[in-house]
Amino acid sequence: GQNIDQPTEMTATEGAIVQINCTYQTSGFNGLFWYQQHAGEAPTFLSYNVLDGLEEKGRFSSFLSRSKGYSYLLLKELQMKDSASYLCVLMDSNYQLIWGAGTKLIIKP
Amino acid sequence: GAVVSQHPSRVICKSGTSVKIECRSLDFQATTMFWYRQFPKQSLMLMATSNEGSKATYEQGVEKDKFLINHASLTLSTLTVTSAHPEDSSFYICSARGLDEQETQYFGPGTRLLVL
């Protein structure tokens, strides 16, 4: 079957760095997405990884290891506005999306 | 966690035909359902919000007569793409939420529509 695991909640300090991990099991793989979602709003696309390695985009970076079924989202220089839920989303071999439950990130001053 | 299903998972149709996509919450009552459209490597674009038993609220720029939404029960919402054209080809994703606005949205697996 298919499964995604990510922590339910994390807390970090403004200005610091936080890494949100995501592990998955799937029989087919067509990429992994990270989305940011503020309460009451639509998710915002952050990154897409289909090959192993690190993709850097400003303060946000995403890493993928297909052999380990593992990805992480790295947020640097945290700002209060980064307080949100971060969704790890897998695209399977049929191009269907499997959504993680999301990690609620709380940023403290 | 809660499960949301969509049917069909993919559909290919001819230009001018209508296509209906179903979104079901399998183990909880969804007071509110959302319909999104996604283009490759872009954010989900919210199309409309529907509350059970009332008319859907469409986002600016979304044609309500083209994208018909029905939320007839607390576990089912449907999106009908009427007179589909090739530019309607996209990935359509629904999500469902319980009563409280602060509750988690649970997303469906998406429906890939290809209009020839």
Side-chain angles (χ1 to χ4, degrees):
Chain A
Q2 296 152 323
N3 190 47
I4 292 182
D5 287 308
Q6 56 181 126
T8 304
E9 187 174 296
M10 298 181 71
T11 303
T13 305
E14 189 177 15
I17 299 172
V18 71
Q19 178 173 311
I20 303 174
N21 295 323
C22 172
T23 58
Y24 63 89
Q25 296 88 39
T26 182
S27 54
F29 181 82
N30 267 309
L32 189 140
F33 300 82
W34 282 95
Y35 282 87
Q36 179 193 61
Q37 186 177 29
H38 288 97
E41 297 180 13
T44 302
F45 169 82
L46 293 178
S47 66
Y48 172 69
N49 294 67
V50 67
L51 299 176
D52 289 352
L54 186 69
E55 295 272 348
E56 295 185 79
K57 194 185 294 185
R59 293 190 299 116
F60 294 1
S61 303
S62 58
F63 172 83
L64 175 68
S65 169
R66 287 172 297 172
S67 62
K68 294 182 179 178
Y70 169 66
S71 173
Y72 68 72
L73 179 69
L74 189 72
L75 294 78
K76 302 176 183 177
E77 300 169 17
L78 287 170
Q79 302 174 9
M80 297 303 292
K81 66 179 183 179
D82 297 330
S83 292
S85 285
Y86 291 85
L87 303 165
C88 175
V89 189
L90 177 69
M91 180 170 276
D92 69 12
S93 55
N94 293 317
Y95 298 95
Q96 293 281 280
L97 298 180
I98 299 117
W99 296 79
T103 298
K104 183 178 180 180
L105 178 63
I106 300 168
I107 309 296
K108 295 185 175 180
Chain B
V3 178
V4 174
S5 70
Q6 279 184 243
H7 178 78
S9 57
R10 63 176 69 184
V11 56
I12 301 173
C13 68
K14 292 182 179 179
S15 185
T17 60
S18 294
V19 175
K20 180 185 283 189
I21 302 170
E22 292 185 350
C23 177
R24 293 181 186 272
S25 57
L26 298 185
D27 52 2
F28 70 104
Q29 292 187 325
T31 308
T32 305
M33 286 187 169
F34 305 85
W35 285 96
Y36 297 88
R37 184 173 178 178
Q38 184 183 36
F39 296 100
K41 296 189 178 183
Q42 294 185 26
S43 291
L44 300 180
M45 184 194 80
L46 180 64
M47 298 174 67
T49 303
S50 71
N51 291 295
E52 185 266 337
S54 61
K55 288 184 178 180
T57 302
Y58 289 81
E59 296 298 304
Q60 194 171 13
V62 178
E63 299 174 60
K64 62 181 181 180
D65 294 330
K66 180 167 185 63
F67 299 99
L68 301 178
I69 291 172
N70 185 294
H71 191 166
S73 78
L74 286 172
T75 59
L76 173 64
S77 175
T78 60
L79 168 69
T80 301
V81 183
T82 62
S83 186
H85 290 283
E87 58 264 30
D88 298 324
S89 298
S90 190
F91 200 40
Y92 293 88
I93 301 165
C94 75
S95 71
R97 189 190 69 198
L99 182 63
D100 191 337
E101 270 194 14
Q102 296 305 312
E103 283 188 38
T104 302
Q105 283 185 40
Y106 295 98
F107 287 84
T111 296
R112 188 166 295 277
L113 171 64
L114 178 60
V115 184
L116 302 176

